[in-house]
Amino acid sequence: KVFGTEKNEIAKYDQAVRAQRDIAVRNEIAWANGIQIEPEVARMYNQKTPYVGESYKVQRLLDNAIHGDSYDLLGDYTMELQTEKEPYGITIIADNMIATGDKGNFEDEVKKIATVMIGGIGNLEEVTFVYNVNGIESSITIDKTEADKIAGGVAKECFVSADKLQELLVELELLN
């Protein structure tokens, strides 16, 4: 339900919280199954899409998944979509050069990001990150099977509700 600011709407809001229903404020989910949803989770949840070809939503989901430590490692990037034939995928080309000592940390971070992307995009099957380690091009590809392992279940099920997505983001330490 979406609530305005009138007094009777506030009463409905309180009732819904007590009943543990989903509540949206300004088109972003604020409560899901009795759990308060963080604003960045609501933004990600709103960008879920059935198709990797919906570039605007894919870009927004990726932008919301990359922040903090992830952005520090990845930096600016270019995104390419593979939508012509299966497996449908995304290639993310990082602009930052990664120091040899940061490669493991970088790969850990991009695996988390890929898990979120695979979870939030219905037909996405793999995410490839292309990056430079001391001037040598490297890449890592995360597929649905690996994303499921990282998610501790089926990654796509984490986008069934905002509270499930928030639980995943906390577990992956992607939520500030």
Side-chain angles (χ1 to χ4, degrees), residues 91-137:
T91 300
I92 299 161
I93 304 161
D95 285 348
N96 278 1
M97 186 166 311
I98 309 301
T100 303
D102 289 335
K103 183 178 179 184
N105 191 28
F106 175 84
E107 290 187 351
D108 288 344
E109 285 297 312
V110 298
K111 286 177 183 179
K112 296 174 189 180
I113 294 165
T115 299
V116 171
M117 298 302 291
I118 288 170
I121 303 168
N123 68 343
L124 181 61
E125 298 174 48
E126 63 184 26
V127 179
T128 299
F129 287 85
V130 178
Y131 57 98
N132 282 298
V133 178
N134 293 331
I136 300 169
E137 188 174 286

Side-chain angles (χ1 to χ4, degrees), residues 27-73:
N27 294 324
E28 286 191 356
I29 193 144
W31 288 83
N33 298 314
I35 306 289
Q36 184 175 4
I37 303 303
E38 297 295 327
E40 54 265 36
V41 175
R43 284 189 293 275
M44 275 192 220
Y45 185 73
N46 284 342
Q47 298 309 318
K48 68 180 180 178
T49 177
Y51 306 110
V52 71
E54 287 191 272
S55 61
Y56 177 75
K57 284 194 167 204
V58 170
Q59 183 67 57
R60 297 275 315 257
L61 181 61
L62 182 59
D63 286 345
N64 283 302
I66 297 173
H67 64 276
D69 292 341
S70 300
Y71 183 78
D72 291 343
L73 287 168

